[in-house]
Amino acid sequence: MASATTTSATIASATTAVYIANSDSHSLSVFWLDEQTGKAALQQTLAVRGAVMPLRLSHNKRLLYAAIRSEPYRVAVFDIDPHTGYLTARTSIPLPDSMANIDLDRAGRYLLSASYGGNSISIQPLDSEGIPAAQAQVIKTGAHPHQITADPENQFIYVSLLGENRLDYFRLGDETPHTTALELPAGSGPRHFVFSKQKKRVYVLSELSAQVQVAARDPSTGVLRLRESHSLLPAGNAPWAADIHLTPDEHFLYVSERNSNSLFGFRVDQQSGRLRALGKWTTEHQPRAFTISESGRYLLVVGQKSHHLQVFAINPATGALTVTERKATGNNPSWVETLALKARSNKPEVQNE
């Protein structure tokens, strides 16, 4: 069983819980982010057996799923207190491999996982409480799948194949064969991607070329067509792009690049979906993961080599980023998620699971 230590504090209104997976510390950190000030405070450190990395919140925000990438491979499931955001270990379920990414389909019926090293994806049904089945359907893919995500209509599952320079997709419930959704130039290495709410655009971040690619999407067929590409780095720089997110209003898109320790921002044209570069901001050392709070007011990024969380306020008019906080995390923070909380006093000072 895992153990948890919590601090003693009173939750303020407009507070966001921040969940950080510390891979080398084998722990989860829970912070509170004050949405008025942009300040963060550590509330809970939860020990986890193994190298914890990708995280995913359940659709009802009552569970946190955490994939363990060291043997034995599994997904740890935690209950979330809706008022404090504190975590309590519920169970752990085997995974068939080390998973670079986990997600849920849009209806919350399946846990979807992508194994970069295993060149495969897996699908596990969820029960009525959101707990995955022990048995998984495993499907072989092309080289190095990195993200697996259902489309907004929950009709198709898309998989980025970093080693194949393409995105594949298949219809949910009819998992084979895979069909190519988008071919990218050689050396691209598509890593992460995000759908627009309008369902007609996909923004892809390619790790090996450090490019953001904008693709038009036909929701009826699932086919993607490349419309434009934006390079993050000048020629001659060694690229190593990592993560990509839209703000909730989809006015701005941000990406992280690890070798330059940078965040890059783009303004999104609300009619065409095309991008216009906004700027570049220096951030934590090796920013593998970041996210944007549900309010859209803050961007939160973690540095794998600096072992810190950094909080940026997002200017709602310009998209510019301003640092509001920096806090130490565990070692090798590799994933971050956020959850808006309801106001209430917190739990007792110390818990043991």
Side-chain angles (χ1 to χ4, degrees):
M1 298 297 287
S3 63
T5 301
T6 71
T7 63
S8 180
T10 300
I11 192 167
S13 60
T15 299
T16 290
V18 181
Y19 301 104
I20 297 173
N22 305 301
S23 180
D24 290 352
S25 294
H26 296 185
S27 67
L28 295 169
S29 300
V30 183
F31 287 82
W32 282 351
L33 172 69
D34 187 322
E35 286 276 345
Q36 300 302 317
T37 65
K39 298 300 182 181
L42 179 65
Q43 295 298 311
Q44 184 184 32
T45 301
L46 188 76
V48 180
R49 293 193 301 272
V52 57
M53 291 188 73
L55 304 176
R56 183 67 166 90
L57 291 165
S58 64
H59 294 320
N60 62 12
K61 313 300 185 184
R62 295 176 182 173
L63 299 175
L64 178 71
Y65 303 93
I68 310 302
R69 298 196 69 183
S70 55
E71 294 187 19
Y73 306 125
R74 63 200 187 280
V75 59
V77 184
F78 300 88
D79 288 308
I80 300 173
D81 185 298
H83 300 282
T84 66
Y86 294 164
L87 301 175
T88 303
R90 165 78 78 90
T91 188
S92 66
I93 303 297
L95 289 172
D97 212 327
S98 173
M99 299 302 179
N101 183 235
I102 58 173
D103 206 347
L104 307 179
D105 76 299
R106 303 285 175 165
R109 295 178 299 172
Y110 300 100
L111 176 71
L112 312 171
S113 306
S115 175
Y116 181 91
N119 300 323
S120 63
I121 60 172
S122 69
I123 302 172
Q124 290 167 266
L126 302 176
D127 68 16
S128 61
E129 295 186 352
I131 305 304
Q135 297 299 315
Q137 179 186 7
V138 178
I139 302 169
K140 299 302 289 185
T141 65
H144 304 323
H146 213 298
Q147 180 177 337
I148 181 168
T149 298
D151 70 10
E153 301 92 346
N154 211 40
Q155 296 298 311
F156 299 103
I157 301 297
Y158 288 79
V159 182
S160 58
L161 296 173
L162 190 146
E164 304 284 351
N165 303 305
R166 72 175 194 261
L167 269 67
D168 278 5
Y169 73 126
F170 55 87
R171 188 175 294 276
L172 188 63
D174 184 17
E175 289 78 15
T176 53
H178 287 214
T179 303
T180 298
L182 178 67
E183 290 276 5
L184 293 171
S188 294
R191 177 183 172 91
H192 285 179
F193 56 93
V194 61
F195 294 95
S196 69
K197 292 177 182 175
Q198 291 80 7
K199 309 174 184 179
K200 294 184 179 180
R201 293 185 292 273
V202 179
Y203 299 93
V204 182
L205 180 63
S206 287
E207 176 177 326
L208 304 183
S209 64
Q211 289 182 317
V212 180
Q213 284 121 346
V214 184
R217 175 175 174 267
D218 184 335
S220 62
T221 66
V223 172
L224 307 179
R225 292 182 174 83
L226 186 63
R227 289 290 181 255
E228 62 181 27
S229 295
H230 298 263
S231 295
L232 303 179
L233 302 174
N237 285 262
W240 199 24
D243 208 358
I244 180 169
H245 293 282
L246 283 162
T247 55
D249 63 10
E250 300 196 350
H251 288 176
F252 306 109
L253 179 135
Y254 299 93
V255 299
S256 64
E257 203 287 318
R258 286 169 284 186
N259 276 342
S260 63
N261 305 316
S262 299
L263 292 164
F264 296 80
F266 297 85
R267 182 181 293 276
V268 182
D269 186 281
Q270 297 302 290
Q271 297 300 316
S272 67
R274 292 183 179 274
L275 301 179
R276 178 168 61 85
L278 288 178
K280 171 186 174 183
W281 296 269
T282 300
T283 186
E284 296 299 315
H285 191 181
Q286 201 164 301
R288 183 182 190 272
F290 73 95
T291 194
I292 296 170
S293 66
E294 294 177 54
S295 68
R297 297 181 62 183
Y298 296 98
L299 185 153
L300 302 96
V301 58
V302 289
Q304 286 187 286
K305 295 293 183 67
S306 67
H307 317 299
H308 273 74
L309 163 71
Q310 191 174 34
V311 182
F312 290 87
I314 301 173
N315 185 304
T318 67
L321 302 180
T322 303
V323 176
T324 64
E325 185 64 285
R326 186 171 187 260
K327 290 288 187 180
T329 64
N331 292 333
N332 189 7
S334 301
W335 206 278
V336 56
E337 295 279 350
T338 63
L339 171 63
L341 298 176
K342 303 173 184 179
R344 198 194 71 176
S345 294
N346 72 328
K347 285 184 176 181
E349 185 170 342
V350 176
Q351 294 182 326
N352 292 301
E353 311 299 350

